[in-house]
Amino acid sequence: MDRKIDLNADLGEGFGRWQLTDDEALLASVTSANVACGFHAGDPVTMRRVCELAAERGVRIGAQVSYRDLAGFGRRAMDVPAAELAAEVAYQIGALEVFARAAGSAVAYVKPHGALYNRAVHDAEQAAAVVAGIRMSGAATGAGGPLPVLGLPGSRLLAAAQRAGLPTVEEAFADRAYRADGTLVPRSEPDAVLHDPEQVVKRSVRLARDGEITAADGTVLGSAARSLCVHGDTPAAARLAERIRAELATAGVQVRAFA
């Protein structure tokens, strides 16, 4: 059976002279770039550079929105009023859109980062606030139509986006452990992130080709994910993304952007 999947990664996760992700190398393999918008990482110079590199390579640009948490890399639990969160999401998308447009491209989708991503899986209010922010942003009503939302299958975020008329895209994670209910094992728990490249590559191919992924307890989960995420801050992430893309091609899976 012919299968297609998008390959996304978190990029632009630096600040000033500090750089975490190997953006240029990752952009040689991924088809969608989740660009940090300055709240958990990223700054104007970095955002502009990543947008230019992505546009040159034909990689789709996504706004990776976050809680305002530079010190905690957006991975700390926070309580943000819904109206404030919606405004901050719109602000981040708008900031990235400026640099995407200057590079001859545009923001093509939105994906929350870290603690906001995980909170919006279960928290209906926070999920609705993210969607409100997307709708508030000028990019959401541009020539390209409503912005797709990238998120975890079965999440409150994707449900809220669907109710609001926004396209939704389910994603899976190449290098994260799953619980039997399809949610991610929290990073605070042991073995939440998978570090064995062979294991990560094999599960990526299985997911894209067969629509299956195995949870930490051995439960086999079905998946209709249209996008596969490789974390840009994982050691040797660029080489891992390169291997995943090559093995997907060998397995007969077409790697292309969803947006």
Side-chain angles (χ1 to χ4, degrees):
M1 180 172 60
D2 181 44
R3 295 297 300 261
K4 300 181 290 290
I5 199 160
D6 170 65
L7 189 60
N8 78 76
D10 304 341
L11 301 180
E13 291 184 327
F15 193 82
R17 296 179 62 185
W18 175 71
Q19 297 295 323
L20 178 62
T21 49
D22 189 347
D23 299 324
E24 190 160 3
L26 281 165
L27 284 167
S29 298
V30 302
T31 46
S32 297
N34 316 318
V35 184
C37 298
F39 273 36
H40 77 281
D43 55 48
V45 172
T46 301
M47 292 162 67
R48 179 179 180 180
R49 176 179 55 81
V50 174
C51 285
E52 289 174 346
L53 290 171
E56 288 172 2
R57 290 158 175 75
V59 175
R60 298 295 189 270
I61 297 170
Q64 188 164 44
V65 298
S66 171
Y67 287 127
R68 188 189 294 269
D69 183 26
L70 275 176
F73 197 61
R75 288 180 176 159
R76 297 186 293 189
M78 303 186 77
D79 290 314
V80 180
E84 182 178 338
L85 178 59
E88 292 189 341
V89 166
Y91 179 93
Q92 292 175 78
I93 297 169
L96 187 65
E97 180 72 2
V98 168
F99 298 117
R101 292 286 182 183
S105 186
V107 172
Y109 64 94
V110 178
K111 173 184 173 178
H113 165 81
L116 180 56
Y117 185 100
N118 292 321
R119 180 78 171 265
V121 170
H122 303 292
D123 190 316
E125 181 184 54
Q126 295 283 277
V130 172
V131 170
I134 296 170
R135 289 172 56 84
M136 190 187 306
S137 71
T141 55
L147 285 175
V149 180
L150 184 60
L152 198 70
S155 65
R156 295 291 184 93
L157 174 66
L158 294 191
Q162 289 170 351
R163 288 194 298 271
L166 300 179
T168 59
V169 179
E170 296 182 350
E171 76 167 335
F173 291 83
D175 51 4
R176 289 295 307 276
Y178 281 78
R179 287 175 166 168
D181 64 357
T183 60
L184 300 177
V185 174
R187 285 179 176 267
S188 59
E189 297 183 13
D191 302 319
V193 180
L194 309 180
H195 298 289
D196 179 1
E198 298 299 328
Q199 180 186 13
V200 173
V201 170
K202 287 179 180 178
R203 77 200 303 255
S204 298
V205 171
R206 182 185 181 192
L207 185 138
R209 184 187 60 202
D210 305 325
E212 295 180 344
I213 194 164
T214 302
D217 69 351
T219 301
V220 177
L221 305 172
S223 174
R226 294 167 53 199
S227 187
L228 179 64
C229 178
V230 178
H231 281 94
D233 62 334
T234 298
R239 173 57 181 152
L240 183 60
E242 181 182 23
R243 286 193 58 194
I244 289 172
R245 181 154 188 171
E247 290 298 326
L248 288 172
T250 299
V253 178
Q254 182 181 1
V255 180
R256 71 179 188 186
F258 63 82

